[in-house]
Amino acid sequence: MIKKCLFPAAGYGTRFLPATKAMPKEMLPVVNKPLIQYGVEEALDAGLSEISIVTGRGKRALEDHFDISYELENQIKGTDKEKYLVGIRRLLDQCSFSYTRQTEMKGLGHAILTGRSLIGDEPFAVVLADDLCVNLEGDGVLTQMVKLYNQYRCTIVAIQEVDPQETNKYGVIAGDLIGDDLYRVRNMVEKPAPEDAPSNLAIIGRYILTPDIFDLIKQTEPGKGGEIQITDALMKQAQNGCVIAYKFKGKRFDCGGAEGYIEATNFCFENFYKTGKAY
Ligand code: UTP
């Protein structure tokens, strides 16, 4: 069974400057909740209660968010404002939180490798909290992926069809269709130009990884921009055995940039906040 979920959250968030100069991108609020809280809720709903977060300099707000604030709680005790903290209290009660720091921001692959000491030798999920994923129709995206892992017992990456002109923002896969919305990955390219992309099926910020990924990341040379890419390690994993790409059910908002962030805000305001499901 998968119990652990890793949140790489050490990046600089340059697309959202100056907001992210002193504040972690993962703490940006979508209506009334920080991005990372949506991610942890999705993980807990999938049965993953051991939360591991890779932080970096200037990210202390993340640890403070997943802790009790005695002064504040005392202040609002017995008032109707207590309802605002019901959701975060549920997470504190039902999850454990552990942290490690990435001291040099050498890319997502390197951030995942930094989390190795918290994960150990077991399969685990990875959530990039700036990709906000929701499914109003049923299971959350991680729940869908955990079910697939239990069936296939190999690495699962979430994919989405993107505008062919935008492949240069993503890891892009080529694969053989093996079931409804399921591909066995044959090839994977990091941020290809549209003319070089093997498809328009792009990897988004949800993964379930088997622990052999750590040694594969270690063997990976820095790629584009001097960063250690997870895509390169996943490609090796796909060649060795099995990586499955899953076109998930639901919506994904890229909250790492202004456009997706505004869309997510409008969506959450209409579907969660106005309907009283936002705490
Ligand atoms: P992104 O490339 O989206 O994040 O990395 P970024 O670097 O923070 O953002 P921009 O592009 O400069 O605006 C995807 C995820 O990987 C984490 C980020 O925090 C984000 O959740 N990450 C990235 C790390 O933890 N460490 C890194 O060295 C790089």
Side-chain angles (χ1 to χ4, degrees):
M1 259 193 28
I2 305 182
K3 303 184 299 282
K4 293 186 178 173
C5 188
L6 185 71
F7 288 77
Y12 291 120
T14 52
R15 282 175 295 153
F16 234 118
L17 283 169
T20 46
K21 185 162 173 270
M23 184 182 72
K25 164 167 79 171
E26 296 74 15
M27 286 302 293
L28 285 170
V30 172
V31 191
N32 60 332
K33 255 193 298 196
L35 276 168
I36 192 142
Q37 188 173 335
Y38 289 92
V40 174
E41 286 171 355
E42 186 187 330
L44 182 61
D45 288 345
L48 315 178
S49 60
E50 294 180 32
I51 307 299
S52 305
I53 305 181
V54 179
T55 67
R57 284 180 292 283
K59 300 271 188 171
R60 265 183 42 198
L62 286 166
E63 295 185 43
D64 290 337
H65 187 68
F66 295 111
D67 200 350
I68 290 174
S69 170
Y70 284 107
E71 233 178 88
L72 172 71
E73 303 224 357
N74 195 39
Q75 186 72 26
I76 63 174
K77 204 174 169 135
T79 73
D80 70 348
K81 289 184 181 155
E82 272 192 302
K83 67 173 185 283
Y84 298 139
L85 296 180
V86 169
I88 183 76
R89 274 198 196 129
R90 177 177 81 102
L91 300 183
L92 296 183
D93 286 346
Q94 296 183 24
C95 298
S96 64
F97 293 87
S98 51
Y99 300 88
T100 188
R101 272 198 185 212
Q102 189 185 17
T103 48
E104 287 177 282
M105 309 330 161
K106 292 198 261 181
L108 176 57
H110 183 260
I112 292 175
L113 186 59
T114 304
R116 183 178 203 169
S117 56
L118 301 176
I119 299 296
D121 192 26
E122 54 186 283
F124 61 104
V126 173
V127 168
L128 308 186
D130 54 345
D131 268 349
L132 178 60
C133 290
V134 285
N135 181 21
L136 296 178
E137 314 294 323
D139 286 343
V141 177
L142 269 186
T143 303
Q144 297 167 40
M145 294 173 72
V146 166
K147 285 182 177 170
L148 282 173
Y149 174 80
N150 289 338
Q151 196 181 340
Y152 289 94
R153 302 270 151 190
C154 64
T155 285
I156 316 274
V157 298
I159 52 166
Q160 173 181 48
E161 281 184 42
V162 296
D163 179 340
Q165 292 310 309
E166 301 212 327
T167 53
N168 57 357
K169 296 184 183 166
Y170 300 91
V172 175
I173 69 132
D176 304 316
L177 197 63
I178 56 166
D180 276 353
D181 297 327
L182 276 187
Y183 299 80
R184 189 176 296 276
V185 174
R186 254 189 299 109
N187 191 12
M188 229 177 235
V189 191
E190 180 64 19
K191 301 193 171 79
E195 59 277 17
D196 301 328
S199 75
N200 69 334
L201 298 171
I203 302 175
I204 62 113
R206 297 289 180 279
Y207 309 76
I208 289 181
L209 301 174
T210 50
D212 53 312
I213 197 75
F214 291 126
D215 283 338
L216 295 172
I217 298 173
K218 255 187 158 171
Q219 294 157 17
T220 301
E221 294 292 320
K224 278 187 184 164
E227 295 195 335
I228 298 178
Q229 308 288 355
I230 188 64
T231 313
D232 297 340
L234 283 170
M235 185 57 215
K236 285 185 218 152
Q237 212 179 28
Q239 283 161 352
N240 291 347
C242 138
V243 172
I244 286 178
Y246 169 55
K247 209 153 65 161
F248 62 93
K249 294 183 177 56
K251 274 179 168 299
R252 167 242 174 203
F253 300 97
D254 173 13
C255 294
E259 204 172 306
Y261 177 76
I262 295 299
E263 278 173 32
T265 302
N266 289 331
F267 182 91
C268 292
F269 182 67
E270 289 299 326
N271 291 285
F272 304 138
Y273 194 80
K274 272 187 167 173
T275 56
K277 289 186 231 149
Y279 310 120

